[in-house]
Amino acid sequence: MAVMDVTMYSDALGFNTHLRIIFPQDIKKGEKLRVLYLLHGYMGDYTDWSRFTSIERYNWDKRFVIVMPSINNSYYTDAKCGLFFFRFVAKELPAFIQSFLPVSKKREDTFVAGLSMGGYGALKIALTYPDKYAKAASLSGALDIDDIQTYAKGTPREPWFKAIFGEGSARHTKNDLNYLVKLAIDKKKTLPDLFIGCGTEDFLYQINLDFKAFLDQHKVAYTYHESKGDHSWAFWDEYIQKVLAWI
């Protein structure tokens, strides 16, 4: 495996941003590789997955191009008052990677996964563009924005959430995963395969159970795993191996 850190200028953001890419260094002529966009959580950055898990080693026999961008604390969202991080990660970044590395552009070779805030981001990206992603995985995902914002009330995070999502509810908007699922169903889109994983001691466990129940209600197929564990890198290091095997 080779590891490369990239500084790129983003038109969507209007400044330089960073990403780390893991990829096979023995790419054959004409080979098109599968690509996995791997997303960090709140207060994280593009180095997290390779610092706190063995993702590079786990990829030895998988031969993915694994792309890990920095998205700040943006919740993978084009903010009401702020920057266009969703536009960057969902549109500009894949176009850059496809022009830069020999990755397949086929839906069946394109995947996205993340933890916590990044779990929300992974499902949001894949459900917004179901024609581009075959599979999307959320680990300990912050899957209900309205619920997540209750944790921010009275803390320094509250103004940041209001800048991103505005004053009202996220329900029935493009920032609501349930809304995106129903919209795709109504439009008769083929949904990506979904993987939901969460620890039973995680403070987001109930949110994940609620999303699972919503998928059941709407007869959406998914893969679900839970086990003892909390909101920690020990859990995510174990579960990213499940995700790679599932893909």
Side-chain angles (χ1 to χ4, degrees), residues 52-81:
F52 304 128
T53 77
S54 295
I55 185 64
E56 181 182 351
R57 178 164 58 86
Y58 301 150
N59 194 39
W60 282 351
D61 63 339
K62 304 294 190 298
R63 292 181 60 80
F64 290 112
V65 172
I66 300 179
V67 180
M68 298 165 284
S70 270
I71 308 296
N72 293 3
N73 292 338
S74 68
Y75 267 84
Y76 300 85
T77 295
D78 290 342
K80 295 284 187 182
C81 300

Side-chain angles (χ1 to χ4, degrees), residues 61-160:
D61 63 339
K62 304 294 190 298
R63 292 181 60 80
F64 290 112
V65 172
I66 300 179
V67 180
M68 298 165 284
S70 270
I71 308 296
N72 293 3
N73 292 338
S74 68
Y75 267 84
Y76 300 85
T77 295
D78 290 342
K80 295 284 187 182
C81 300
L83 300 172
F84 301 123
F85 276 99
F86 183 78
R87 187 181 305 175
F88 164 69
V89 72
K91 299 184 76 173
E92 186 177 15
L93 178 62
F96 172 76
I97 293 298
Q98 290 168 6
S99 70
F100 182 58
L101 288 168
V103 300
S104 171
K105 296 181 181 180
K106 295 178 180 178
R107 178 183 188 267
E108 60 264 31
D109 295 327
T110 307
F111 317 100
V112 58
L115 66 90
S116 194
M117 179 186 78
Y120 166 76
L123 298 193
K124 180 179 178 179
I125 291 166
L127 292 171
T128 302
Y129 298 110
D131 56 326
K132 296 184 181 298
Y133 295 88
K135 298 192 176 192
S138 166
L139 304 182
S140 312
L143 305 182
D144 184 330
I145 292 302
D146 279 11
D147 189 272
I148 289 297
Q149 290 192 81
T150 65
Y151 293 103
K153 287 191 180 299
T155 76
R157 296 185 186 186
E158 186 173 5
W160 183 250

